[in-house]
Amino acid sequence: MEKLLNQLNDNQREAVLYTDGPELVIAGAGSGKTRVLTYKIAYLLQQGMAPYHILALTFTNKAAREMKERIVALTDPSKAHRLWMGTFHSVFSRILRTEAGRIGYPSNFTIYDSADSKSLLKSIIKEMKLDDKTYRPGIIQSRISKAKNALVTSNMYGQNKELVQGDINAKVPMIRDIYRMYQGRCFQAGAMDFDDLLLQTNILFRNHPDVLTKYRSHFQYILVDEYQDTNQAQHLIVQQLSEEHRRICVVGDDAQSIYSFRGANIDNVLQLKNIYPDLRIFKLEQNYRSTQNIVDAANSLIRKNKEQIPKTVYSEKEKGSKPFLASSYSDYEEAYIVASKIDELRMGGRHYSYADFAVLYRTNAQSRILEEALRKRNIPYKIYGGLSFYQRKEIKDVIAYLRLVINPHDEEALKRIINYPARGIGDTTVGKLITAASENAVSLWTVLEQPDAYSLPLNSGTLKKLTAFREMIEGFIVRNKELQADEITQVVIKESGMASELFQDRSVEGVSRQENMEELLKGISEYIDIRREEGMEQITLADFLSEVSLLTDQDNDKEENANKVTLMTIHAAKGLEFKNVIIVGLEEDLFPSLMSGNNPKAIEEERRLLYVAITRAEENCILTYAKSRFRNGKSNMCSPSRFLKDIDAKYLHRPEDAAQDSFFTKREPARPAAFTSPFQQPKAAEPPVQPEETASPEEISGLKAGMKVRHDRFGTGEIIALEGSGGNMKATVHFPNFGQKQLLLKFARLTIIR
């Protein structure tokens, strides 16, 4: 064992050797927390503790698998395989299988996944004759999940005046009845959903003290990974099991608590001393992952949080380069700066591969413009833990509508959206349409146009729904001849019912889908503007769809371990590390999120999120922000994120353009939070960003070669040449991040910089 312990630093060794009582191991980023957990378990086994008396809980099956593999390498493999180790859900489902009869469930109970749960809720909503546009299954599922994780049963929910009043205020007063019916149906079916595995374990321990005593005696040592991510249900289970013997070791980092939207409660770590007054706290403060400058920058940021356990993370690696702060004129330019930085670092002396880079963003919607910039530079990439922008369901749904507007005979597009949003055209009806079309060798649209001619065996009510759908599409086709691509897309999203479907869902997933929809509209608007500036007068919806089809063809590469840049949200990046990390979109209302408002706890979590992002980097960290972002087809001013000011300036490398930003020399009042979307009442556009000395629009005809100009998307550039006259006058402009662009001046909106 001494040989094993010699592989640990002093703090890690102390944490492993302490077994006399409750223990909290605060593990800073990159400090080797998994090593402490695995070595502690190996140490307990070597000290003679039986493996089946050790309970080790993780948050992912992958983490449990990796820990078990390490323990196998450190000790007797036969012992390691007899550990009670796994996720909360897997371990307690195992206990429930044994004890299910005590709470009225069969031992072979079914576990409903998310799709099963949502399907049952849909049935209940339909049976109760409720409007599924008001009582959306996804939203109801989310509310029930939150209630269960807070240990609120269906009976307790109905008796809780605050919850009931909240539902009344939200115009969904029947949620308590849906929850009660849902739980009753699950019970009748001998089924538990994922959240029940924790809720029912708590009920089992509460109602059957003898069962709790049995498992308290069985689990003589309890270890929990990522304790900052536990919710109320998980926290209470651990507390009950360890209450008597108090041999518990929890490992985590309060500075990396970023999952409150899933029910995680940072107070479970911060208040642990109140539950265990004799708690010993061990701090792992040496970061083995990142260079000193990256660690120092992250430390200076997280110190601004009030709710935390003080620690000083340090690195003994090389000092390394300071995190690089890059400002861009627009989000469009920001994406191309990212691509340039990747090429620049790869061409340097370190010989990085593409797989050594990760681009992290706050919201999924930000990936679209990044994907475009990387493609233009021929930089291979993969979307980690998600889909390429144009492969996301809500985007594919809109694209299917647009494909149908261009070609109503597109069978796959028609089948995809004929009943989305739900309009009462079920699979049976679609099957009859397909049969009629196949037997007569015509398209589905042809059958829809003349249902009587093809003797469709449908009742008048169903025929009326099909007619309404056909007339809606025909209306879109007519209006497409009059409107621009972005305008017809807005019409389709509104009048198809998608806007109503998406923009009433205020869950985290719902907001993400809304952001993606807005990003699609922005992308179409940008596509039109760019083609106009290049001299194309007529830009059609068909042109845009052709471009998209070419993009999505490249998204089908399934290679997991290919040499590609990784694009991902920061939430998905937790637990990972990369040699080079680029964090984009560091602006107010984006990071911190607009949804944080002025809520201090929410702002602190957003700051922790940036801390997590920075500490993913081993050697280079690049932070970027844009001074303007396209929203609703217009360029809007942006303020740099307040978090950039939280990072001590001595740990940041600020090029001249960022260093001179007035934001870093004076404090500006926070802007009021306000959610806007293309589907709400439009507000007056903010004025475009202007340099201090600019020419008026009337002076634009005085352009000359050699002049400095500014462009909404491409930023600052220099005019190389001018040609043509009047409305056909073009300028060739060199932009540092885009190369040379030939722009038609009547559309280019250039600003002269004196």
Side-chain angles (χ1 to χ4, degrees), residues 433-549:
L433 281 172
I434 292 170
T435 299
S438 179
E439 289 176 351
N440 293 279
V442 296
S443 70
L444 295 179
W445 182 257
T446 301
V447 177
L448 275 177
E449 285 183 309
Q450 305 173 62
D452 294 339
Y454 295 97
S455 304
L456 277 179
L458 299 171
N459 61 41
S460 59
T462 303
L463 283 171
K464 189 175 180 181
K465 292 170 185 173
L466 289 174
T467 300
F469 171 74
R470 189 197 75 230
E471 289 176 348
M472 177 181 69
I473 299 298
E474 287 173 340
F476 294 156
I477 292 170
V478 170
R479 291 165 78 178
N480 183 46
K481 296 172 184 176
E482 309 161 353
L483 300 174
Q484 290 189 157
D486 56 342
E487 293 171 335
I488 187 62
T489 303
Q490 287 207 37
V491 167
V492 166
I493 291 170
K494 277 185 179 178
E495 297 185 10
S496 66
M498 278 187 288
S500 175
E501 174 88 12
L502 285 172
F503 281 79
Q504 289 183 33
D505 184 352
R506 301 304 298 157
S507 67
V508 173
E509 295 80 7
V511 171
S512 178
R513 288 192 287 270
Q514 295 157 24
E515 290 169 343
N516 290 339
M517 196 73 82
E518 292 174 357
E519 184 65 22
L520 174 66
L521 286 165
K522 167 184 158 184
I524 298 173
S525 178
E526 281 180 357
Y527 176 85
I528 293 169
D529 287 348
I530 291 168
R531 296 305 177 276
R532 276 181 168 172
E533 290 173 355
E534 291 172 348
M536 286 180 62
E537 293 284 348
Q538 298 297 321
I539 303 102
T540 67
L541 181 60
D543 294 327
F544 175 75
L545 292 178
S546 295
E547 175 107 344
V548 169
S549 66

Side-chain angles (χ1 to χ4, degrees), residues 91 234 291 342 401 418 420 483 524 558 581 586 597 633 654:
V91 166
Q234 292 161 331
T291 60
I342 291 171
Y401 268 102
I418 192 169
Y420 178 77
L483 300 174
I524 298 173
K558 298 295 182 184
V581 169
L586 280 158
R654 292 180 185 159

